């Protein structure tokens, strides 16, 4: 008799969550080499300096692979630049109930909780496009979809999770579950017809942790990075959405920046030219200061290369763990140099 048959479902899932939470939520396959450069180029102009109170950043711990593994990030548009420490406890604006309700579906203890399919839910400063207090807009990455007019009732949130957030395939650790239990964890995109229509996100999206009520380091550097990125992108004529977001982990590595490069994104945002090698990926950077912004824009957005010294990790639409791939790639390159 298997463990899955003698344990209640919730106990079984919590057990495998403790043992296997670091496993990639979608696939373990490795892609072709990821273009990268070891260091961030020096800026060509004078950059804003962090204020004196910005201090106590961890400059010594390894940065690569400090990003939490996730399959989808739900970015809620709130129109606010800061949030209470625990965004699920917000009571007045309506979106707090959305967060609580969605966590009740896909979070620990929820009917669709799957420890191999981590869903990250964050608030953002992106404009709140809604018709009432009870409807909300959300962006999905790395699916690169936007949904407007989502209500936060249980039925809508459950349908939303089934259409966009659940796993397409289950981990082998779920083999002992019943057919009904497996179906509850699997995605069914056909139910998306019951929700407001989605639109594809075709512009670069840059999300910067600016959650000052959670950690003042991100609260200090986040807005500075936001304005610096926006200025650099405007100067180059690259359309992008730049926003601050709530807690994503790793405040000691502030500033924390996620760049989502949309599928089929062309170098320099032009229709001609090579497709960005990072198209369809989300790249996580840490220890980002204003002096790094120009280099990040040039290397990652224009040239399609990750910057090794700033990289925390990354995700792709097919589930590739960018940090692990680059780590192995660097190891192979080192061995090749040693024997060559």
């Amino acid at each position: 008799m298997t463990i899955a048959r003698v344990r209640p479902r919730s106990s079984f899932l919590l057990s495998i969550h403790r043992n296997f939470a670091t496993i990639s939520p979608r696939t373990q396959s490795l892609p072709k080499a990821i273009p990268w450069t070891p260091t961030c180029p020096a800026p060509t102009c004078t950059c804003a300096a962090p204020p004196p109170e910005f201090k106590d950043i961890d400059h010594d711990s390894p940065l690569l692979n400090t990003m939490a593994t996730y399959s989808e990030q739900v970015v809620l548009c709130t129109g606010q630049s800061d949030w209470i420490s625990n965004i699920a406890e917000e009571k007045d604006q309506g979106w707090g109930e959305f967060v609580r309700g969605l966590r009740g579906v896909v979070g620990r203890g929820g009917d669709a909780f799957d420890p191999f399919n981590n869903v990250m839910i964050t608030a953002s400063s992106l404009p709140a496009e809604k018709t009432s207090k009870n409807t909300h807009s959300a962006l999905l990455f790395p699916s690169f979809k936007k949904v407007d007019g989502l209500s936060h009732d249980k039925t809508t949130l459950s349908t939303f999770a089934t259409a966009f957030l659940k796993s397409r395939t289950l981990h082998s650790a779920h083999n002992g579950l019943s057919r009904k239990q497996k179906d509850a964890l699997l995605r069914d995109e056909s139910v998306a017809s019951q929700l407001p229509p989605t639109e594809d996100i075709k512009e670069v999206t840059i999300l910067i942790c600016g959650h000052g009520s959670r950690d003042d380091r991100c609260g200090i550097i986040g807005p500075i990075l936001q304005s610096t990125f926006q200025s650099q992108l405007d100067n180059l004529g690259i359309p992008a959405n730049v926003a601050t977001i709530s807690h994503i982990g790793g405040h000691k590595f502030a500033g924390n920046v996620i760049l989502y490069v949309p599928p089929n994104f062309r170098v320099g945002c032009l229709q001609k030219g090579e497709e960005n090698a990072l198209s369809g990926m989300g790249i996580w950077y840490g220890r980002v200061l204003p002096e790094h912004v120009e280099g990040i824009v040039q290397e990652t957005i224009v040239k399609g290369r990750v910057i090794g010294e700033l990289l925390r990790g990354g995700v792709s639409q097919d589930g590739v763990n960018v940090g692990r791939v680059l780590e192995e790639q660097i190891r192979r390159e080192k061995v090749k140099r040693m024997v060559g």
Side-chain angles (χ1 to χ4, degrees):
M1 182 177 292
T2 65
I3 292 177
R5 292 193 180 106
V6 298
R7 289 188 184 182
R9 174 177 174 273
S10 59
S11 175
F12 167 71
L13 292 178
L14 289 176
S15 174
I16 58 176
H17 173 71
R18 286 192 292 268
N19 291 316
F20 300 106
T22 58
I23 295 177
S24 173
R26 296 189 183 186
T27 179
Q28 293 294 306
S29 62
L30 300 182
K32 61 183 180 181
I34 294 175
W36 75 293
T37 183
T39 58
C40 187
T44 61
C45 57
T46 304
C47 304
E53 60 268 27
F54 182 72
K55 56 184 179 180
D56 298 328
I57 302 302
D58 183 341
H59 293 284
D60 301 317
S61 299
L63 192 61
L64 187 61
N65 295 319
T66 58
M67 178 202 85
T69 301
Y70 65 100
S71 59
E72 203 78 46
Q73 181 177 11
V74 180
V75 180
L76 193 60
C77 303
T78 72
Q80 298 178 211
S81 58
D82 198 10
W83 312 268
I84 62 175
S85 180
N86 183 346
I87 61 172
E89 295 178 357
E90 187 278 330
K91 304 293 184 183
D92 300 325
Q93 303 300 319
W95 52 262
E97 188 170 348
F98 182 97
V99 174
R100 292 191 296 275
L102 190 55
R103 286 182 178 175
V105 176
V106 297
R108 184 173 296 186
D111 292 339
F113 171 64
D114 182 349
F116 302 103
N117 187 58
N118 181 37
V119 176
M120 181 182 300
I121 307 170
T122 51
S124 80
S125 64
L126 291 165
E129 300 176 11
K130 59 183 183 178
T131 57
S132 75
K133 185 177 179 179
N134 297 325
T135 61
H136 311 277
S137 297
L139 281 59
L140 303 174
F141 297 104
S143 290
F144 291 90
K145 300 287 185 183
K146 181 180 181 182
V147 189
D148 291 322
L150 282 169
S151 62
H152 52 229
D153 63 273
K154 185 174 182 180
T155 299
T156 298
L157 293 176
S158 180
T159 302
F160 177 62
T162 299
F164 299 112
L165 305 181
K166 294 179 182 179
S167 252
R168 292 182 174 88
T169 58
L170 296 183
H171 191 278
S172 59
H174 289 307
N175 288 347
L177 297 178
S178 69
R179 182 70 262 171
K180 182 178 179 181
Q181 289 172 326
K182 290 178 180 179
D183 288 342
L185 300 178
L186 283 169
R187 185 176 304 194
D188 179 1
E189 296 178 357
S190 69
V191 302
S193 60
Q194 303 171 30
L195 300 168
T198 65
E199 61 180 276
D200 293 335
I201 298 173
K202 298 180 180 180
E203 298 179 342
V204 171
T205 301
I206 300 176
L207 305 174
I208 306 157
C209 186
H211 203 165
S213 63
R214 187 71 176 255
D215 190 291
D216 59 359
R217 292 168 292 188
C218 287
I220 291 169
I221 200 65
I224 298 173
L225 291 175
Q226 182 184 13
S227 61
T228 307
F229 268 107
Q230 193 66 66
S231 177
Q232 283 287 333
L233 293 163
D234 288 345
N235 289 340
L236 294 173
I238 299 176
N241 295 310
V242 185
T244 53
I245 56 172
S246 60
H247 177 64
I248 55 172
H251 286 311
K252 66 180 181 178
F253 299 128
N256 288 294
V257 177
I258 309 173
L259 290 88
Y260 284 110
V261 183
N264 305 314
F265 180 75
R266 298 288 172 178
V267 174
C269 278
L270 301 176
Q271 289 304 311
K272 44 188 177 178
E274 295 182 6
E275 182 176 321
N276 188 304
L278 304 178
S279 290
M281 295 187 185
I283 304 300
W284 285 51
Y285 287 136
R287 299 188 183 125
V288 176
L289 298 175
E291 65 196 56
H292 299 124
V293 172
E294 181 183 353
I296 290 174
V297 170
Q298 286 294 331
E299 290 296 325
T300 302
I301 297 177
V302 176
K303 298 179 181 178
R305 302 195 295 187
V306 299
I307 299 172
E309 67 174 337
L310 301 177
L311 187 66
R312 291 189 62 189
V315 296
S316 73
Q317 290 188 304
D318 56 1
V320 168
N321 185 320
V322 173
R324 297 297 180 190
V325 171
L326 185 60
E327 183 178 51
E328 174 61 18
Q329 186 175 318
I330 293 172
R331 186 195 68 81
R332 292 197 306 265
E333 291 173 0
K334 184 177 179 179
V335 170
K336 186 177 180 179
R337 287 195 301 269
M338 291 175 62
V339 300

